Amino acid sequence: MKTITTRQVALLAVLYLFSVNYLDIAAKLSEFAHQHGYISHLLSVLVTLLMLWIVSRIIRRFSGRNVVAAMIDRYPLMGRSIAILYMFFLLLLSAGEMRICVDFTNSSLLNRTPIVVIGLIVAATVVFIAQGGIRTLVGIAEIYVPIWFMLLLMIVVTTWRDVEIRNLQPFFHFHWTGIFHGFWIIFSSVGEIIVFPLIMSGKHYKSKGGYSGLLISGLYLVVFLLMVQLVVGIPLSTKLMYPTYELVRQVQVTDFMDRFDLLLVALWLPTVFGKLGFNIYLMANLLHIIVPKVSGRLMVAPMGALSYVCGMWFFKNPVQQVNFNEQLMLFAIVFEIGIPLLLFFALWPRRKRRLHSG
């Protein structure tokens, strides 16, 4: 398989962080941090940037290999235990994000279609994408991420006439308790990118691409957050399940095209499928690392089916999933901060023994 470039890694990182977070970031942050939700998000980006730097230091020690495989080689029992834990963490993330995608499609687009049917269609699409491997995921990122850059500019321009600056007032009254609470809520979503360099092999992951993707997606999401607060308003955005979708519905290109949001959603959904497919691809790769005799490609379908079943099993409704954001940070502390720090010290380069002449 050919090595992917730094630019492609950056696009993958943007795809990984932006696709699902774009939908509900305003609802998560406006409730606690209010008009200073962007500070909560920037704090989460800075902490994640530090953790990415730590993981990049580990990767430098094992050129051409992924960190998990190196951990298994040095500490077989602990390494396999960590790999299994990350599989369950990715399964939890995939289940939640698949449920978000299914619920959004059901509530906003296909109200009369049974949710089970929508879930099966989403799961089948995601599995098909994941079976294409890293090249398919890179292709989705290269096509749809630039499109979303242009759409972002269009949304800002077309909705600017509805902006109310007073929605962000008072500008300098910082409620730090709420800001750190917002950080607690959002960090788990931003820090997910840590699994990307931990599992991807050294020839596929480029540190500069990871940094660039994190910073670009962070800027991306801050702009959408501010636009939602300026146009929709903070009180209303805290009561809506998908406030960013309400912002998109404000876009009016012509007098006769009153459902332009359907076109935008049609262009956005492939990015969500790409994110879900990436998670399943990573899970299959982890399983192949743990049990080398098992083909990662053949395990994509079972992992996709398991993610779909768990999404329907773990969360009975979207409200229950939103409430789970508080508990998800506890998992984030372990998998996005604790274990990377453990790997940083456990995989410290061993000192070479000096040979003494007799």
Side-chain angles (χ1 to χ4, degrees):
M1 184 180 296
K2 295 182 180 179
T3 303
I4 60 179
T5 64
T6 301
R7 178 183 60 83
Q8 291 170 334
V9 171
L11 290 173
L12 275 176
V14 174
L15 176 76
Y16 196 78
L17 289 175
F18 173 79
S19 54
V20 178
N21 291 335
Y22 145 85
L23 192 62
D24 58 355
I25 182 175
K28 289 180 179 179
L29 293 179
S30 296
E31 181 178 358
F32 302 105
H34 305 296
Q35 73 272 23
H36 296 117
Y38 66 93
I39 299 179
S40 301
H41 185 66
L42 292 177
L43 286 175
S44 66
V45 170
L46 291 176
V47 174
T48 305
L49 193 63
L50 173 62
M51 299 312 302
L52 275 182
W53 179 83
I54 290 174
V55 173
S56 69
R57 299 301 97 184
I58 306 174
I59 293 175
R60 282 191 175 187
R61 303 170 190 168
F62 306 96
S63 178
R65 301 178 60 198
N66 61 61
V67 177
V68 176
M71 187 69 180
I72 292 175
D73 287 345
R74 184 174 292 190
Y75 306 103
L77 180 59
M78 184 168 66
R80 284 185 170 83
S81 300
I82 290 175
I84 292 171
L85 288 174
Y86 268 108
M87 277 192 62
F88 281 110
F89 180 59
L90 282 169
L91 177 62
L92 180 63
L93 296 178
S94 298
E97 290 168 354
M98 190 170 291
R99 186 59 193 262
I100 288 177
C101 181
V102 171
D103 286 330
F104 172 78
T105 305
N106 179 251
S107 61
S108 302
L109 303 177
L110 304 174
N111 306 101
R112 298 182 180 181
T113 306
I115 194 170
V116 175
V117 176
I118 297 174
L120 289 173
I121 294 173
V122 171
T125 304
V126 168
V127 167
F128 180 76
I129 291 172
Q131 283 182 335
I134 190 66
R135 303 307 304 180
T136 300
L137 296 168
V138 167
I140 292 175
E142 287 187 312
I143 293 172
Y144 289 101
V145 169
I147 290 176
W148 267 100
F149 270 114
M150 293 185 290
L151 289 177
L152 171 62
L153 294 175
M154 187 196 69
I155 291 172
V156 171
V157 170
T158 55
T159 58
W160 189 256
R161 65 182 184 278
D162 299 320
V163 163
E164 294 286 347
I165 300 297
R166 62 186 177 185
N167 289 340
L168 296 183
Q169 295 176 342
F171 300 115
F172 302 108
H173 180 69
F174 299 99
H175 182 54
W176 289 106
T177 302
I179 289 172
F180 283 112
H181 195 170
F183 165 77
W184 178 269
I185 294 295
I186 198 63
F187 174 74
S188 58
S189 299
V190 178
E192 292 176 11
I193 196 175
I194 294 297
V195 301
F196 184 6
L198 282 176
I199 301 171
M200 296 291 289
S201 59
K203 66 179 181 179
H204 288 155
Y205 179 77
K206 306 293 186 300
S207 297
K208 291 182 180 179
Y211 301 149
S212 302
L214 174 63
L215 294 175
I216 292 170
S217 61
L219 177 62
Y220 224 144
L221 291 169
V222 164
V223 171
F224 265 102
L225 169 64
L226 292 175
M227 288 304 298
V228 169
Q229 293 180 338
L230 288 168
V231 176
V232 180
I234 294 175
L236 183 57
S237 62
T238 59
K239 294 178 173 59
L240 295 172
M241 186 65 66
Y242 310 114
T244 310
Y245 180 61
E246 295 302 318
L247 173 67
V248 171
R249 291 179 64 182
Q250 302 298 317
V251 177
Q252 295 180 2
V253 179
T254 60
D255 293 334
F256 65 89
M257 200 170 186
D258 59 345
R259 289 306 306 272
F260 188 72
D261 57 295
L262 295 179
L263 175 60
L264 298 181
V265 170
L267 294 172
W268 167 74
L269 278 176
T271 66
V272 180
F273 294 153
K275 165 67 183 298
L276 293 173
F278 202 5
N279 274 342
I280 294 173
Y281 172 78
L282 292 177
M283 283 192 288
N285 270 7
L286 266 180
L287 189 59
H288 176 67
I289 292 171
I290 298 170
V291 187
K293 293 183 179 180
V294 175
S295 171
R297 182 181 175 84
L298 293 178
M299 293 308 300
V300 165
M303 290 298 173
L306 186 61
S307 298
Y308 164 70
V309 172
C310 290
M312 299 299 174
W313 180 29
F314 292 165
F315 310 103
K316 294 181 180 179
N317 52 61
V319 176
Q320 190 179 57
Q321 188 173 3
V322 170
N323 294 334
F324 182 67
N325 287 328
E326 294 275 358
Q327 290 75 32
L328 188 60
M329 181 59 182
L330 300 176
F331 290 92
I333 291 175
V334 175
F335 291 99
E336 298 169 8
I337 297 178
I339 294 181
L341 289 175
L342 173 64
L343 294 174
F344 180 77
F345 292 105
L347 295 175
W348 196 267
R350 292 174 175 174
R351 294 182 178 180
K352 296 181 180 181
R353 296 179 180 179
R354 294 182 179 178
L355 297 177
H356 298 280
S357 57

